[in-house]
Amino acid sequence: MTNQNGRFGVHGGQYIPETLMNAVIELEEVYNHYKADAQFNQELTDLYNDYAGRPSKLYFARKMSADLDGAKIYLKREDLNHTGSHKINNVLGQALLARKMGKTRLIAETGAGQHGVATATAAALMGMECVVFMGEEDTIRQALNVYRMRLLGAEVVTVRTGTGTLKDAVSEAMREWTSRIADTHYCLGSVMGPHPFPVMVRDFQAVISREIKAQLMEKEGRLPDAVIACVGGGSNAMGSFYHFIEEPGVKLIGCEAAGRGIDTFETAATVNTGRMGIFHGMKSYFCQDEYGQIAPVYSISAGLDYPGIGPEHAYLHDIGRAEYVPVTDNEAVEAFEYLSRMEGIIPAIESAHAIAHAIKIATVMDKEQTIVVTISGRGDKDCAAIARYRGEDIHD
Ligand SMILES: *Cc1c(COP(=O)(O)O)cnc(C)c1O
């Protein structure tokens, strides 16, 4: 799609300090070179297949479809990837690129810890140093992932500024990159930040929709009627949408975390409650207060607890190509429990937001229609938090 100079319509761009300009220009040049390089793509495909376990399955949720008595529901199983989410698709691509650039150190931000774990994994695999920035609040919520990162050889830096969550970890990682560019690559975790990150991360995640298209064609002989994915920064959704953008018959639906509801202040539904702004190197939609300051956001899901959205999503919203719907904590928790019982699949609480919306629309669709829902990750990491939500303490 449109991305002249990293713009998606009015969104995107490179709103960064002068000191980072050389780093993003170098990254853009190297990426443009290697994305067309057959050997690079072969190496990446080998890593996807042999290390990450791709292609991920497209599973027909027979019981769930029968229970809802509407559209046929297929689940794209990114939860089955190595390290348990879609994050590895992007990280392997960026780590390989970093190695081509001669970098020996990866830094990353993380919220729920999934991107940090994926980055620490790739660093271990490629023999690189790794530092992960994580908000203090999240290191407490996701202690298991902090341990996993350290086990993998990464240093985890606790970020105590701001609200001690994902946005502060991103700010800190950008600051660190500014001060150390020569040997360090910033492995950004979503389709956000300054160009070329939104384009590059989307291209690495586009493997999801490339596979969905081929797999559904084999199973149903046609394209899906709708593709549904949850949206934090938007990388699993962009990856799930990408190869369907030019197929007008395929509805694209992103599910935002509404938290306690879009009519409350405890929400992270950026498109539904935010306004245009500039933050973390990009122009896009952000949750803001009345003075235009980035608003504190809330969601039960640490992975969706981000006050912005990637610029390509902002553009797809503007042109009406994709629809962004809010899903509350409560709806997500119910969907988390529903999918576990109904299909024997415990989804990440992030992915449960997409399941919740699929449940709403499947019932009013025809039996011949199909919906593909991306299960962006597995739910083991969320069990303690969901138990707590239900008033049970299982001591994680
Ligand atoms: C990180 C994460 C998300 C949110 O990130 P996106 O860039 O919006 O995909 C969603 N689901 C899982 C399982 C994650 O780990």
Side-chain angles (χ1 to χ4, degrees):
M1 281 223 110
T2 325
N3 78 62
Q4 293 251 309
N5 305 317
R7 291 279 176 183
F8 300 96
V10 299
H11 304 282
Q14 295 175 313
Y15 297 87
I16 52 174
E18 211 48 47
T19 41
L20 266 190
M21 217 49 215
N22 286 336
V24 297
I25 289 170
E26 180 194 16
L27 182 60
E28 185 179 3
E29 285 172 1
V30 172
Y31 177 60
N32 284 338
H33 171 77
Y34 281 106
K35 77 176 177 194
D37 182 88
Q39 196 198 332
F40 177 85
N41 285 305
Q42 190 57 53
E43 273 180 71
L44 185 58
T45 301
D46 288 347
L47 283 171
Y48 280 175
N49 296 353
D50 300 336
Y51 190 70
R54 304 209 70 85
S56 69
K57 299 290 180 190
L58 183 70
Y59 168 73
F60 173 46
R62 190 180 305 274
K63 264 182 81 202
M64 180 178 174
S65 304
D67 181 59
L68 297 172
D69 199 26
K72 292 173 87 167
I73 295 171
Y74 282 86
L75 306 177
K76 180 58 172 165
R77 301 289 310 277
E78 293 298 303
D79 58 312
L80 296 178
N81 296 339
H82 180 44
T83 72
S85 79
H86 67 291
K87 296 285 184 355
I88 196 81
N89 306 330
N90 166 42
V91 164
L92 289 174
Q94 287 199 48
L96 201 56
L97 205 59
R99 195 160 74 181
K100 302 281 183 202
M101 291 162 80
K103 311 269 175 171
T104 56
R105 184 169 173 263
L106 294 179
I107 61 171
E109 81 295 339
T110 199
Q114 292 300 103
H115 177 60
V117 167
T119 306
T121 298
L125 177 71
M126 302 201 185
M128 294 167 120
E129 219 184 304
C130 182
V131 180
V132 179
F133 295 87
M134 189 170 188
E136 186 169 33
E137 172 80 22
D138 291 333
T139 61
I140 298 165
R141 286 200 278 198
Q142 300 287 342
L144 176 64
N145 276 340
V146 175
Y147 185 76
R148 290 169 79 198
M149 287 183 264
R150 295 201 167 124
L151 196 60
L152 292 158
E155 181 192 344
V156 179
V157 175
T158 304
V159 178
R160 297 195 167 82
T161 50
T163 49
T165 57
L166 182 54
K167 83 165 175 23
D168 309 296
V170 173
S171 302
E172 208 49 44
M174 284 188 169
R175 206 165 298 145
E176 167 72 12
W177 200 29
T178 309
S179 72
R180 193 165 162 185
I181 290 166
D183 67 345
T184 299
H185 173 66
Y186 177 18
C187 185
L188 219 165
S190 192
V191 286
M192 45 154 292
H195 180 67
F197 285 107
V199 172
M200 182 175 69
V201 177
R202 173 257 272 158
D203 290 349
F204 290 139
Q205 293 292 1
V207 65
I208 301 174
S209 49
R210 192 155 60 237
E211 287 176 6
I212 293 174
K213 214 171 192 176
Q215 290 167 321
L216 196 71
M217 199 51 88
E218 196 183 308
K219 288 174 195 288
E220 293 282 339
R222 59 190 198 85
L223 297 173
D225 294 282
V227 176
I228 306 180
C230 65
V231 179
S235 69
N236 88 88
M238 234 18 263
S240 303
F241 293 174
Y242 186 66
H243 289 283
F244 298 110
I245 292 174
E246 305 291 333
E247 308 280 4
V250 182
K251 259 194 180 170
L252 306 175
I253 307 171
C255 301
E256 301 195 308
R260 295 192 218 280
I262 53 171
D263 49 355
T264 74
F265 288 105
E266 291 174 296
T267 182
T270 307
V271 173
N272 284 276
T273 67
R275 280 177 291 134
M276 204 188 293
I278 293 170
F279 188 54
H280 285 159
M282 61 179 172
K283 184 179 274 185
S284 190
Y285 290 113
F286 297 95
C287 297
Q288 302 170 44
D289 68 14
E290 60 191 299
Y291 306 105
Q293 299 290 335
I294 297 299
V297 288
Y298 164 80
S299 162
I300 189 171
S301 146
L304 303 183
D305 205 348
Y306 181 73
I309 188 171
E312 192 164 10
H313 284 295
Y315 175 68
L316 291 177
H317 166 75
D318 286 355
I319 63 171
R321 178 62 191 94
E323 180 190 357
Y324 296 86
V325 298
V327 174
T328 64
D329 282 1
N330 206 45
E331 290 168 327
V333 169
E334 277 175 8
F336 177 89
E337 294 166 340
Y338 176 88
L339 194 70
S340 301
R341 269 195 322 268
M342 188 58 68
E343 292 288 346
I345 296 169
I346 303 174
I349 188 64
E350 290 84 6
S351 323
H353 287 72
I355 291 290
H357 190 68
I359 292 171
K360 281 184 213 167
I361 67 167
T363 50
V364 295
M365 287 171 70
D366 292 339
K367 288 212 171 81
E368 301 75 50
Q369 294 186 294
T370 60
I371 300 176
V372 175
V373 188
T374 297
I375 306 296
S376 53
R378 66 176 185 232
D380 312 46
K381 67 178 177 58
D382 300 308
C383 287
I386 305 301
R388 211 150 42 233
Y389 185 85
R390 291 300 193 204
E392 203 181 321
D393 185 1
I394 61 167
H395 304 104
D396 53 321

